[in-house]
Amino acid sequence: PNLQCLKLPHSTGITTQTLIDLFKQCPKLKVLDLRHQSNSMNDAVLSTICSSLPYLRSLKIGWCGLISEHSISSLVYSCQYLSKLFLDENPNINDETMVQVSTLSLQMLSLDFCLRITEASLATLLSPNSNTGKSLAYLSIAGMNPISSVGVQAIRNYN
């Protein structure tokens, strides 16, 4: 199959096994949107994405609360071509996860309402020593609480 882009946000009735089988058959996928697949998107599916989609460039898995921080770590190591990553409203994403995400050369990163991320993550992500800090052009952190002078300073110093 030559499919390179697949968008399934808000789709209903898709099972975990359906997603796993689908991704095994579409190795050329570069763009994947699975937002709001809260019942079927889990660690098993993300593991299949990691092992089956080596050319993935853009992944949207926001509002998929069954994905653990360990699976995100596997994603970082397996999908080195990622340039766009959307992890919105995942209760399992934390500062340790962000240290690993900072190794990717992301151009876009969305972490809206990832409430376990602190300002320390901003400093890590935006550091000129991180791959993300060297390449990031778009960062969304809506709902990040609180943003103090430390977070504002990290954003202001990002160039």
Side-chain angles (χ1 to χ4, degrees), residues 145-159:
N145 294 316
I147 297 181
S148 69
S149 59
V150 173
V152 171
Q153 186 70 27
I155 294 168
R156 187 174 359 145
N157 289 341
Y158 183 68
N159 200 4

Side-chain angles (χ1 to χ4, degrees), residues 103-148:
T103 65
L104 292 170
S105 294
L106 295 174
Q107 295 172 353
M108 297 181 79
L109 178 61
S110 184
L111 302 167
D112 294 346
F113 299 98
C114 290
L115 302 178
R116 293 180 59 205
I117 294 174
T118 68
E119 291 175 313
S121 289
L122 283 181
T124 299
L125 287 168
L126 300 177
S127 166
N129 297 325
S130 77
N131 288 340
T132 297
K134 294 173 187 170
S135 60
L136 197 64
Y138 171 94
L139 174 65
S140 183
I141 52 171
M144 183 178 182
N145 294 316
I147 297 181
S148 69

